[in-house]
Amino acid sequence: MERASRLRRYLRKDYSQVVEFPVEIVGRDGTVRRYSFDDSVRLYHRRIHSAPMRYDDGDLVDAEVRHCRQRIDQLRRSYLEHYGWGVLRGGQLGGLFGGPLAAELAAFLRRAFVAERDGPTGLRLTLIESSVGDTFYLRCIETDRVWLLYAWRLDADAPSGAREAWRAAVTRLAAAPRGDTAERLLFAAEGPDVALALAGTGAWHGPGGDGAADAEPLDPPDPLHTGLRALYDGHSADALSVLEAGLDVSPARLVLAQAAALVALLEGQEERGEFAARFGRLHRPGDPVLAYLLSVALCRTDRRAEAHDVVRAGLRAAPNNPLLTVMAAVLALRAGRLVAAWRGARRVTRLQREPPYAGRAARTLELWLRRWAAASGSSALAVGVGAGLHTVGDATLGLAVGAAGLASGVYASVWLARRAVAVVRGARVRGVPRLVSLELLPREGELDVDH
């Protein structure tokens, strides 16, 4: 029912309306939050990249991705309607940025030139070259000053080598000396779909301008924020490297160990996940999340006995922890201890509050066991009926009914055993929870707390 309801909600969405900025978006917790154009587009991109990790159902993943792409397109069209000017407003820019994607250029120029609501209408943009990236001639009609704007698409429709060209150009422009004749980098931005660089000569008083050298040095970026941003932007390998590097610098910071272990497992890097979890447990041996993630890594590398020891020790310290209880039920199911698996799953669904993922995984195990019990009961009944028919003299019918019942019971047992193997190994099978989810990442309130 929940799946059907979700799919119907996607079908009822209207993407034709022009939205206002900042745009109001309702979160999963029901809270309405206001987002700028850039933040709202980035939010929907995060949802696209995280959809396969949030949903096990392929139809729901496809519907979520399709919804987010349509919403991004709606946001861009709305932004051009409110803030576009000249060739940008009508999507007539040409090159790689025709259509709604031109909104990214408009937003970039408004940030660069600190424009008012109507946009930097005094700027005139002319496409002069289009290949791997586009090069635009930018002129201010009020001052007659000129710049060059370089733009690259980074989405699925980007030309081959676009990201490499962007990085090479930024490196070249950033290394240029300051002066009146040398073209140098003035302002740059990289988003999920677009990379942009504004270059020119002479003084620059925009963002990151010439006065920035006198400002106080900024603190280095927090590895947790940087890693999670890379993860939600779809760069999970980069996210894992950032989190691991941060853990090397701050080995006692619990959330870094949790995030690194989780991202590694989401990436299928069980050895790195195990290392991050064990490393974190050196400083926080009693943390149940690290114990859970370590047990997942051990299960995936077929070391269930070690995983069982970790879970058992963790439950001694935190007997009501839902994650460890779910893992104990999974291990019991894999070992064929179905009563223990049922009790563990029922315990989580009755007592569990946070995280919601543990409750959903437990309900899935319950459903499997109910189906197996129902099929086994029907099988036993059929075998009994077949035996009774054989006793009263109808041997052929009794044999057929008994054989069908026995086959049904065997099928149910094989079906359950295959799912038990799949969930322990982390197989990507429809309807089988993968035991790791983005929901297990540190909460928003924890991001600014150094554990």
Side-chain angles (χ1 to χ4, degrees), residues 6-75:
R6 281 181 178 273
L7 290 173
R8 283 195 298 270
R9 285 202 300 270
Y10 283 121
L11 293 174
R12 290 197 297 265
K13 301 290 185 182
D14 180 11
Y15 306 98
S16 62
Q17 298 178 343
V18 175
V19 302
E20 300 289 332
F21 295 95
V23 61
E24 294 185 345
I25 299 176
V26 182
R28 294 183 64 183
D29 58 359
T31 303
V32 178
R33 296 179 175 87
R34 293 159 65 87
Y35 293 85
S36 67
F37 168 72
D38 298 294
D39 288 341
S40 59
V41 169
R42 190 176 290 275
L43 171 68
Y44 282 109
H45 271 291
R46 291 175 182 174
R47 288 177 55 174
I48 289 172
H49 292 302
S50 65
M53 305 176 195
R54 290 185 285 118
Y55 301 114
D56 290 322
D57 188 292
D59 291 337
L60 282 177
V61 171
D62 292 341
E64 169 77 352
V65 170
R66 185 166 54 252
H67 160 68
C68 291
R69 293 196 186 284
Q70 289 178 295
R71 188 66 81 195
I72 289 172
D73 190 65
Q74 179 188 20
L75 290 168

Side-chain angles (χ1 to χ4, degrees), residues 346-428:
R346 288 292 293 166
R347 185 179 177 193
V348 172
T349 55
R350 286 176 177 173
L351 303 177
Q352 180 261 344
R353 296 294 182 268
E354 293 289 342
Y357 178 78
R360 293 200 303 274
R363 285 192 292 273
T364 299
L365 297 184
E366 275 193 78
L367 177 62
W368 291 353
L369 290 165
R370 281 200 188 105
R371 290 183 60 179
W372 172 84
S376 298
S378 298
S379 171
L381 179 61
V383 171
V385 170
L389 290 171
H390 188 278
T391 301
V392 299
D394 197 340
T396 302
L397 180 59
L399 184 62
V401 171
L406 183 61
S408 174
V410 170
Y411 174 81
S413 296
V414 171
W415 176 87
L416 183 62
R418 285 178 175 173
R419 274 155 180 74
V421 171
V423 70
V424 166
R425 291 181 177 175
R428 293 180 177 269

Side-chain angles (χ1 to χ4, degrees), residues 258 281 284-294 314 318 321 323-324:
Q258 292 173 342
R281 279 163 61 88
R284 295 299 179 98
D287 180 62
V289 175
L290 288 178
Y292 173 77
L293 295 173
L294 176 58
N321 183 266
L323 287 173
L324 292 173

